Amino acid sequence: MKAIIIGAGMGGATAGIALQNMGCRVEIYESVREIKPVGAAISIWPNGVKCLNFIGLQQQIKTLGGNMAAMAYRDYRTGETLTQFSLRPLVERVGEYPYPVARAELQSLLLDALGRERISLGKRLVELEDDGRQVTAWFEDGSSASGDLLIGADGAHSVVRGYVLGHTVERRFAGYVNWNGLIAAENGLAPADQWTTFVGQGKRVSLMPVAGGRFYFFFDVPLPQGLRQRSDTAKEDLRGYFAGWCAPVQRLIDRLEPAGVNRVEIHDIDPLEQLVRGRVALLGDAGHSSTPDIGQGGCAAMEDAIVLANLLRTHSLGIEDTLRRYQESRRQRVGSLVLKARKRCDVTHGKDPAATEDWYRSLARETGEHIIDGLADTIEGGPL
Ligand code: FAD
């Protein structure tokens, strides 16, 4: 069997490894000429970690992952702890650790495991054709590639999605802007083994431990779309949005290097009814682009990859039949993650200010049990 994969992000690369492990020939076509990770870091929750374990990267992900032993929410103005608790009960319940990792390091891990020679760079998919026996992908440079199936792992702006659905889908602006980056961990910011989040005014500032004594930091601010801001004005912009916030937040803004800060307007896409057409399947953000509010988009892409590879290995009624089974086993799961993230997004970012104030008050009563239940439900909905 030969699979053509469009896109070498975390979804496409994981699918490539999983398919190769089952003996499938894989060719990946990627539009950019040089692969650079978008964003500084990412939290891989235990459902995603299990997918990496499944494709043979157990030791490597453990090495790259930060030690996130505890979780805390703090008041934006005073810095006082609203709630703080160990994540050990979560790990014991679901059987694996969460690992926040630097994106560049995760990307290198996946591409090395895949074999970089499998990836053709500078190949932008523009069209595809499924004749019932083979799928052919056509690229902007006039070249083409054919295989028994094609996996569209071409991200939130997917071209393959348009083919599968027969129409284009509008992305929905989620109402906030996220700035993120990496910074050396220090106690003046937060404990080095804790995911710490400062909340207030519908905004948040978060610090997550990443290996190598670093924090992955991010700032969220509810804002309109299309403001004329650049990453290099991040310091001034953030000073304005976070005026009056507590000392660790001011220290974080003082310390950050604007050149290393990403600024992202957050979007998602309504859950899709269809993830496959004939011999073509959508995987990752191409099929379910969500807001990052539950940190599950990349994890879900890796789940897609291992579910698809397993179905292809274990079913023999033909590729179209197997892809339909893939759609049936993933549609509800990925749709529910998109909606769960959207709901969390609205509460965190003050869409209904009264609901957000209720949430702040509930944090002050939280012992960790309720939050861990929510995290575990999401994680346990995964395939492993
Ligand atoms: P992508 O990573 O977007 O990769 C798609 C690839 O396809 C790209 O390399 C692109 O160049 C290529 N491509 C696009 N069009 C074409 C074409 N026409 N032809 C050929 N190639 C093409 N997820 C988590 O699990 N945990 C988190 O903590 C988390 N935090 C996040 C924070 C932020 C701020 C954001 C924005 C997202 C976050 N996510 C998180 C979501 C996660 O980043 C995505 O879900 C994940 O990167 C999706 O991977 P993918 O491979 O599907 O798509």
Side-chain angles (χ1 to χ4, degrees), residues 20-217:
Q20 277 188 161
N21 287 354
M22 57 159 275
C24 182
R25 275 195 298 143
V26 170
E27 290 174 4
I28 300 194
Y29 294 89
E30 166 57 56
S31 59
V32 301
R33 293 188 182 281
E34 190 191 347
I35 295 184
K36 292 192 204 135
V38 181
I42 184 166
S43 54
I44 308 290
W45 288 97
N47 54 314
V49 175
K50 290 176 195 174
C51 295
L52 291 167
N53 296 345
F54 188 80
I55 58 170
L57 300 175
Q58 186 154 16
Q59 281 314 314
Q60 293 91 325
I61 190 64
K62 207 174 167 150
T63 308
L64 294 186
N67 172 22
M68 193 161 74
M71 184 170 170
Y73 280 95
R74 293 189 173 170
D75 178 74
Y76 76 105
R77 208 166 34 83
T78 62
E80 273 168 26
T81 299
L82 298 167
T83 181
Q84 196 234 5
F85 50 90
S86 164
L87 284 173
R88 187 74 210 168
L90 174 73
V91 173
E92 279 169 10
R93 176 158 156 194
V94 304
E96 186 48 280
Y97 292 87
Y99 288 128
V101 295
R103 285 208 190 229
E105 290 160 19
L106 176 66
Q107 190 114 358
S108 283
L109 168 64
L110 291 172
L111 298 186
D112 288 343
L114 174 77
R116 289 175 191 258
E117 67 284 1
R118 301 266 171 268
I119 304 171
S120 302
L121 297 172
K123 296 284 179 187
R124 177 174 297 280
L125 177 88
V126 285
E127 220 180 306
L128 56 99
E129 189 190 338
D130 175 356
D131 68 7
R133 285 177 303 112
Q134 286 241 303
V135 190
T136 303
W138 299 93
F139 303 104
E140 202 173 45
D141 63 5
S143 62
S144 65
S146 297
D148 298 304
L149 74 153
L150 182 141
I151 298 171
D154 52 342
H157 301 275
S158 172
V159 170
V160 182
R161 184 170 61 227
Y163 169 84
V164 167
L165 301 179
H167 59 88
T168 52
V169 171
E170 285 297 310
R171 294 165 79 224
R172 185 194 70 103
F173 177 55
Y176 77 97
V177 175
N178 167 285
W179 285 260
N180 66 71
L182 288 167
I183 199 156
E186 52 153 296
N187 276 335
L189 297 173
D193 62 351
Q194 177 173 284
W195 175 18
T196 305
T197 304
F198 300 87
V199 288
Q201 304 177 320
K203 306 172 199 171
R204 69 173 165 165
V205 180
S206 222
L207 292 146
M208 262 189 175
V210 172
R214 294 167 294 174
F215 279 134
Y216 163 39
F217 67 81

Side-chain angles (χ1 to χ4, degrees), residues 250-265:
Q250 303 308 326
R251 185 191 283 263
L252 174 60
I253 298 172
D254 287 345
R255 299 260 152 124
L256 58 83
E257 289 292 336
V261 178
N262 308 288
R263 181 187 183 279
V264 195
E265 294 184 340

